[in-house]
Each structure stands twice: as C-alpha cells, then as structure tokens.
Amino acid sequence: MSDRTCRRCGANFSQAGQQRGRRLCDGCQATRATFFDCPRCGHHRETRSATRDSDGRPVGCWDCRQADTAAAQTSAIVEHVARLEPNLALEVIAAAVAAAAPGRVLLKWLAEHLAVHPDALSEPGPNAPRVLGRLAVALERAGSVTVRRPHCVDCRRPVPLVTTTDNGRVCNSCIQLRRAQPCGTCRAIAAVARRMPNGDAQCRQGWGADSRNHHPGVRC
C-alpha cells in the first residue's frame, strides 16, 4: 500500500498494488464517472445525458443539445416566414419568433405545426395553437401584410382563442355564450357567474339584483 494525494480534491488516499498510477481518490473517481465538465458551456453536468463522440467520450451536455435543437427550429421557422414575407428582415422575423415562443416547448409546437401545415400563417386552420396566433400578431406588428391571425370558429373574429372544441378553437366570449344557462333570478340566458343554494345558475346581473346578496354597509 502507498499513499497519494488526490489531484482533484487534495485528500490523501491509499493505493493498492493494482491501483498504482491512480491520480484520484475513490470519491473523485466515482464523481468523474458520473459527472463531466461540458467542453461547450463549461458547466458540471451528468454524463448519462451527455452527447458522446465516436470513442464514447462526452462532448456536450443536455442543455447544449437542446440549445442546438432550438436553434435549428428557430432557423426553420425564420426561413419559412421569410419565404412568405420576403420584405421582412431576418432579424425582425427572428425577434417575432422569440417573442411568440420564448420557451423550448412553445418553439417545438410552433415548428411542428408549421412543418405539418405550411400554409398555417396565411390560411390558419380552426385548430391552430395559441403560439401560432402570437406569432401572427408579432409579425403583423412588424409590418407583415400576408400573415393572417387565427379566427374564432363562432364569431369569426381574429382574437385570442382560449378553448378547443369539437369544431375548432373559440374565444373567451364565445365559450361563455356556449356555456350560458337561464339565470334563476332574472331568467336571462347568460354566462353562469355562480350557483344558487338550490343549484340553479345565476348570472352576474342576477347575482347583483338578488336581495339575499345585499348586506348593510359598515357606515349605515
């Protein structure tokens, strides 16, 4: 047995005959097998999620790989929009994409939707995702004249669509109208604001007109 100083942590450790030449202690040896310093970003990452070269050595971490994927998706979206809007600068389109899809998941959804529906920006379908509408709005603000925002399948207005139905996406106003019921107080067909003790629906106006909801103020 011989003693040696760990090159990594500086601790002393013992070497058996078959371990001669080792420069790391047992703890640092295990850590090196589990973690590595990414040569691209310099962060300490787990090797199990690393990108490896032909010799099996880790050459990139999971974050770097995701960054490459996001860059490729952004480039594909920018090129797609540039073919539709040749008058817009690539930097302007890239800024619109970044504003509409700030996260990796949103960017993935947008890229996949445009790959399956290449005319989604000029002729958006009834099931277009929200991120497509945000991109259309950002491009319109940037000066686009070809892009069209997705419209509600009920009122046909190009407004934010919040709910998916069987025949397409609808806006908040229309989904409230779809869920409207007769008010138990004023008998109007309106959106349900609350339920009465007997289970009947009550709209906002009916709730305000119901005397059971009126209480004396702190002054009177």
Side-chain angles (χ1 to χ4, degrees), residues 13 22 56 62 96 117 122 144 147 154 159 164 177 184 186 203 214:
F13 67 98
R22 284 184 56 190
W62 184 87
H117 306 281
S122 56
S144 172
V147 171
D154 285 359
V159 294
T164 301
L177 291 176
C186 65
C203 68
H214 299 170

mmCIF file of all heavy atoms in Angstrom, residues 13 22 56 62 96 117 122 144 147 154 159 164 177 184 186 203 214:
data_model
loop_
_atom_site.group_PDB
_atom_site.id
_atom_site.type_symbol
_atom_site.label_atom_id
_atom_site.label_comp_id
_atom_site.label_asym_id
_atom_site.label_seq_id
_atom_site.Cartn_x
_atom_site.Cartn_y
_atom_site.Cartn_z
ATOM 1 N N PHE A 13 -5.042 9.461 -0.117
ATOM 2 C CA PHE A 13 -5.696 8.161 -0.237
ATOM 3 C C PHE A 13 -4.636 7.095 -0.482
ATOM 4 O O PHE A 13 -3.517 7.395 -0.911
ATOM 5 C CB PHE A 13 -6.733 8.167 -1.371
ATOM 6 C CG PHE A 13 -6.146 8.307 -2.749
ATOM 7 C CD1 PHE A 13 -5.927 7.194 -3.558
ATOM 8 C CD2 PHE A 13 -5.811 9.562 -3.256
ATOM 9 C CE1 PHE A 13 -5.402 7.331 -4.823
ATOM 10 C CE2 PHE A 13 -5.278 9.706 -4.522
ATOM 11 C CZ PHE A 13 -5.060 8.588 -5.314
ATOM 12 N N ARG A 22 -2.870 5.715 -10.105
ATOM 13 C CA ARG A 22 -4.117 6.469 -9.970
ATOM 14 C C ARG A 22 -3.838 7.866 -9.430
ATOM 15 O O ARG A 22 -3.011 8.051 -8.550
ATOM 16 C CB ARG A 22 -5.081 5.750 -9.016
ATOM 17 C CG ARG A 22 -5.768 4.538 -9.621
ATOM 18 C CD ARG A 22 -6.761 3.958 -8.633
ATOM 19 N NE ARG A 22 -7.721 4.972 -8.206
ATOM 20 C CZ ARG A 22 -8.574 4.797 -7.203
ATOM 21 N NH1 ARG A 22 -8.546 3.673 -6.496
ATOM 22 N NH2 ARG A 22 -9.426 5.749 -6.881
ATOM 23 N N GLY A 56 -16.899 7.392 -27.434
ATOM 24 C CA GLY A 56 -17.669 7.299 -26.210
ATOM 25 C C GLY A 56 -17.388 8.382 -25.202
ATOM 26 O O GLY A 56 -17.885 8.316 -24.077
ATOM 27 N N TRP A 62 -26.767 18.022 -21.974
ATOM 28 C CA TRP A 62 -28.157 18.025 -22.430
ATOM 29 C C TRP A 62 -28.600 19.437 -22.797
ATOM 30 O O TRP A 62 -29.311 19.630 -23.792
ATOM 31 C CB TRP A 62 -29.043 17.464 -21.327
ATOM 32 C CG TRP A 62 -30.483 17.328 -21.702
ATOM 33 C CD1 TRP A 62 -31.086 16.273 -22.322
ATOM 34 C CD2 TRP A 62 -31.523 18.285 -21.468
ATOM 35 N NE1 TRP A 62 -32.430 16.498 -22.493
ATOM 36 C CE2 TRP A 62 -32.728 17.738 -21.975
ATOM 37 C CE3 TRP A 62 -31.563 19.546 -20.870
ATOM 38 C CZ2 TRP A 62 -33.938 18.404 -21.910
ATOM 39 C CZ3 TRP A 62 -32.773 20.218 -20.815
ATOM 40 C CH2 TRP A 62 -33.945 19.637 -21.325
ATOM 41 N N ALA A 96 -39.596 38.308 -33.762
ATOM 42 C CA ALA A 96 -41.013 37.954 -33.624
ATOM 43 C C ALA A 96 -41.175 36.521 -33.140
ATOM 44 O O ALA A 96 -42.035 36.228 -32.308
ATOM 45 C CB ALA A 96 -41.731 38.150 -34.963
ATOM 46 N N HIS A 117 -48.421 21.954 -41.348
ATOM 47 C CA HIS A 117 -49.334 22.880 -42.040
ATOM 48 C C HIS A 117 -48.524 24.068 -42.565
ATOM 49 O O HIS A 117 -48.458 25.117 -41.922
ATOM 50 C CB HIS A 117 -50.420 23.362 -41.084
ATOM 51 C CG HIS A 117 -51.174 22.264 -40.404
ATOM 52 N ND1 HIS A 117 -52.181 21.553 -41.019
ATOM 53 C CD2 HIS A 117 -51.043 21.726 -39.156
ATOM 54 C CE1 HIS A 117 -52.657 20.649 -40.191
ATOM 55 N NE2 HIS A 117 -51.986 20.726 -39.060
ATOM 56 N N SER A 122 -50.756 31.945 -43.478
ATOM 57 C CA SER A 122 -51.576 32.672 -44.450
ATOM 58 C C SER A 122 -53.027 32.207 -44.429
ATOM 59 O O SER A 122 -53.942 32.991 -44.687
ATOM 60 C CB SER A 122 -51.007 32.507 -45.862
ATOM 61 O OG SER A 122 -50.903 31.128 -46.200
ATOM 62 N N SER A 144 -45.953 42.848 -41.380
ATOM 63 C CA SER A 144 -46.384 41.808 -42.303
ATOM 64 C C SER A 144 -47.745 42.150 -42.898
ATOM 65 O O SER A 144 -48.627 42.682 -42.215
ATOM 66 C CB SER A 144 -46.457 40.458 -41.586
ATOM 67 O OG SER A 144 -47.042 39.487 -42.418
ATOM 68 N N VAL A 147 -49.534 37.629 -43.447
ATOM 69 C CA VAL A 147 -49.896 36.768 -42.327
ATOM 70 C C VAL A 147 -51.317 37.071 -41.866
ATOM 71 O O VAL A 147 -51.735 38.226 -41.815
ATOM 72 C CB VAL A 147 -48.901 36.950 -41.166
ATOM 73 C CG1 VAL A 147 -49.377 36.233 -39.910
ATOM 74 C CG2 VAL A 147 -47.540 36.425 -41.575
ATOM 75 N N ASP A 154 -66.723 30.564 -33.974
ATOM 76 C CA ASP A 154 -68.099 31.012 -33.740
ATOM 77 C C ASP A 154 -68.319 32.431 -34.244
ATOM 78 O O ASP A 154 -69.203 32.672 -35.059
ATOM 79 C CB ASP A 154 -68.434 30.934 -32.245
ATOM 80 C CG ASP A 154 -68.673 29.499 -31.796
ATOM 81 O OD1 ASP A 154 -68.589 28.585 -32.640
ATOM 82 O OD2 ASP A 154 -68.925 29.290 -30.589
ATOM 83 N N VAL A 159 -59.296 37.063 -32.724
ATOM 84 C CA VAL A 159 -58.987 37.391 -31.334
ATOM 85 C C VAL A 159 -58.314 36.193 -30.683
ATOM 86 O O VAL A 159 -58.315 35.093 -31.237
ATOM 87 C CB VAL A 159 -60.284 37.771 -30.570
ATOM 88 C CG1 VAL A 159 -60.867 39.058 -31.123
ATOM 89 C CG2 VAL A 159 -61.304 36.642 -30.653
ATOM 90 N N THR A 164 -60.451 24.790 -26.971
ATOM 91 C CA THR A 164 -60.610 23.919 -28.126
ATOM 92 C C THR A 164 -61.919 23.154 -28.012
ATOM 93 O O THR A 164 -62.192 22.524 -26.987
ATOM 94 C CB THR A 164 -59.442 22.929 -28.234
ATOM 95 O OG1 THR A 164 -58.215 23.659 -28.340
ATOM 96 C CG2 THR A 164 -59.590 22.045 -29.461
ATOM 97 N N LEU A 177 -70.696 32.159 -24.031
ATOM 98 C CA LEU A 177 -72.033 32.044 -24.607
ATOM 99 C C LEU A 177 -72.436 30.581 -24.772
ATOM 100 O O LEU A 177 -73.605 30.228 -24.588
ATOM 101 C CB LEU A 177 -72.082 32.761 -25.960
ATOM 102 C CG LEU A 177 -71.977 34.287 -25.926
ATOM 103 C CD1 LEU A 177 -71.950 34.849 -27.334
ATOM 104 C CD2 LEU A 177 -73.142 34.876 -25.129
ATOM 105 N N GLY A 184 -81.446 31.878 -12.645
ATOM 106 C CA GLY A 184 -82.532 31.582 -11.729
ATOM 107 C C GLY A 184 -83.154 32.811 -11.106
ATOM 108 O O GLY A 184 -84.213 32.713 -10.476
ATOM 109 N N CYS A 186 -83.018 36.448 -12.793
ATOM 110 C CA CYS A 186 -83.585 37.350 -13.799
ATOM 111 C C CYS A 186 -84.077 36.628 -15.048
ATOM 112 O O CYS A 186 -84.619 37.269 -15.946
ATOM 113 C CB CYS A 186 -82.558 38.408 -14.188
ATOM 114 S SG CYS A 186 -81.094 37.746 -15.020
ATOM 115 N N CYS A 203 -76.556 34.593 -13.184
ATOM 116 C CA CYS A 203 -75.636 35.441 -13.935
ATOM 117 C C CYS A 203 -75.147 36.584 -13.052
ATOM 118 O O CYS A 203 -75.604 36.759 -11.920
ATOM 119 C CB CYS A 203 -76.313 35.967 -15.203
ATOM 120 S SG CYS A 203 -77.649 37.154 -14.891
ATOM 121 N N HIS A 214 -77.433 41.286 -0.541
ATOM 122 C CA HIS A 214 -77.270 42.664 -0.060
ATOM 123 C C HIS A 214 -77.111 42.648 1.446
ATOM 124 O O HIS A 214 -77.895 42.025 2.175
ATOM 125 C CB HIS A 214 -78.481 43.513 -0.452
ATOM 126 C CG HIS A 214 -78.673 43.597 -1.933
ATOM 127 N ND1 HIS A 214 -79.807 44.131 -2.509
ATOM 128 C CD2 HIS A 214 -77.870 43.218 -2.969
ATOM 129 C CE1 HIS A 214 -79.710 44.076 -3.812
ATOM 130 N NE2 HIS A 214 -78.542 43.514 -4.140
#
